[in-house]
Amino acid sequence: MKNYYFISDAHLGCRALEHHRTQERRLVRFLDSIKDKAEAVFLMGDMFDFWFEYKHVVPRGFTRFLGKVSELTDLGVEVHFFVGNHDMWTDDYLVKECGVILHKEACTMELCGKVFFLGHGHRLDIKNRDWMTRLMFSCFESKFLRVCAKTIHPRWFVNFGLNWAKHSRKKHQELGEEPYKGDDKEGLVVFAKNYLITHPDINYFVFGHRHIDLDLSLNQTSRLMILGEWYSLFTYAVFDGENMFMDNYVEGETQL
């Protein structure tokens, strides 16, 4: 029996991270270490700090990561890619060139008899966000604005996107990641609890987005996991067909 692996929020290419090339290599080594043990790998969003596809152009970089993902799919390992708020502009490049299964919305799937609700999480708690965040997401998701953006030369627009993401990351670095708000205020926990009322068959909710590692029991048959991130925590989850647990990938130095 092979395992199912879940990772999220690598933010590859982030200009606010000095060690971004080392970070990419570390992620690639992790994927290489599990390639013979994995039935499927779930990349749960924000794997890139900014990703925007033109018809014939994709962002520069990430060759080690994309090559390893392609190797996994060539070996028959399913790689599921969920878009996040930093890479929601993904089209068909990763599907056609790397063989991933692309998910633009949260979804439910059954693995070894257990029911999983999977998604990045940025849209699931949108009702609890401030109006500026809701407006920003609406603009990002606008098909009209996306077409308009594609008329801008990649030299300018991709640079703009990377700098926007850099500013956001530096703000988080200065203020610190928002700590866990508690079971009654954490948006993804509140969503999961409400969703269970009408979908009591869900065994596992798995999300990214919040950059905290959380393993929370919701009731006797349902758990929620928030996967942390892959630039300082290096956390991931594993489902072996019977049990689900979280772990940290540590090799050599523990701090980059």
Side-chain angles (χ1 to χ4, degrees):
M1 176 67 191
K2 292 188 175 183
N3 298 331
Y4 299 85
Y5 294 87
F6 305 81
I7 61 178
S8 184
D9 291 86
H11 290 270
L12 294 175
C14 179
R15 290 179 172 178
L17 301 177
E18 295 180 0
H19 58 262
H20 59 84
R21 183 58 59 83
T22 304
Q23 172 208 15
E24 181 185 7
R25 288 192 178 108
R26 190 170 188 162
L27 176 57
V28 167
R29 287 193 293 269
F30 169 73
L31 294 174
D32 189 65
S33 73
I34 66 172
K35 66 183 181 182
D36 296 324
K37 300 180 288 185
E39 182 70 27
V41 176
F42 294 83
L43 306 175
M44 300 299 300
D46 284 2
M47 297 306 295
F48 306 104
D49 203 42
F50 179 74
W51 182 273
F52 189 90
E53 293 180 26
Y54 294 77
K55 185 175 182 180
H56 299 294
V57 177
V58 296
R60 176 180 178 177
F62 324 116
T63 54
R64 293 166 180 82
F65 172 68
L66 295 176
K68 185 55 62 177
V69 168
S70 299
E71 180 185 349
L72 290 174
T73 59
D74 286 346
L75 289 172
V77 179
E78 283 190 3
V79 177
H80 296 258
F81 189 99
F82 286 77
V83 301
N85 49 299
H86 281 252
D87 43 27
M88 67 173 65
W89 307 279
T90 303
D91 283 325
D92 63 357
Y93 177 81
L94 298 176
V95 176
K96 292 182 177 179
E97 297 297 327
C98 302
V100 308
I101 301 169
L102 183 65
H103 301 272
K104 293 194 174 184
E105 302 287 345
C107 68
T108 302
M109 65 178 65
E110 184 175 323
L111 304 174
C112 300
K114 299 293 185 180
V115 182
F116 285 71
F117 186 95
L118 306 171
H120 181 63
H122 62 294
R123 292 292 302 176
L124 300 177
D125 65 343
I126 193 67
K127 293 181 180 179
N128 299 319
R129 313 295 287 276
D130 59 81
W131 71 269
M132 282 289 291
T133 301
R134 295 197 300 270
L135 176 61
M136 180 177 66
F137 280 175
S138 295
C139 291
F140 286 166
E141 293 172 347
S142 167
K143 293 182 179 179
F144 172 74
L145 293 179
R146 186 170 176 175
V147 170
C148 291
K150 288 189 176 184
T151 65
I152 303 173
H153 195 285
R155 178 193 307 169
W156 297 305
F157 190 71
V158 172
N159 188 59
F160 167 79
L162 287 169
N163 283 331
W164 178 299
K166 175 184 176 181
H167 173 75
S168 174
R169 175 54 35 211
K170 281 188 172 294
K171 183 178 179 181
H172 281 285
Q173 289 173 339
E174 293 170 0
L175 300 177
E177 294 292 348
E178 188 175 19
Y180 183 61
K181 301 176 185 177
D183 296 358
D184 296 329
K185 294 183 179 180
E186 188 67 46
L188 293 175
V189 175
V190 173
F191 168 83
K193 287 182 175 180
N194 290 333
Y195 196 80
L196 273 176
I197 295 174
T198 54
H199 301 79
D201 59 328
I202 304 295
N203 300 115
Y204 297 103
F205 293 87
V206 183
F207 303 125
H209 186 54
R210 273 287 279 119
H211 296 193
I212 57 174
D213 53 325
L214 177 69
D215 183 355
L216 179 68
S217 177
L218 300 175
N219 58 38
Q220 291 183 341
T221 60
S222 182
R223 285 163 61 192
L224 177 146
M225 290 186 171
I226 299 179
L227 297 171
E229 37 80 357
W230 258 79
Y231 52 83
S232 64
L233 296 176
F234 305 102
T235 44
Y236 64 97
V238 184
F239 177 59
D240 64 8
E242 294 184 5
N243 301 300
M244 182 85 163
F245 60 91
M246 292 188 68
D247 205 348
N248 297 77
Y249 181 63
V250 178
E251 57 163 19
E253 73 277 14
T254 58
Q255 190 172 23
L256 294 177

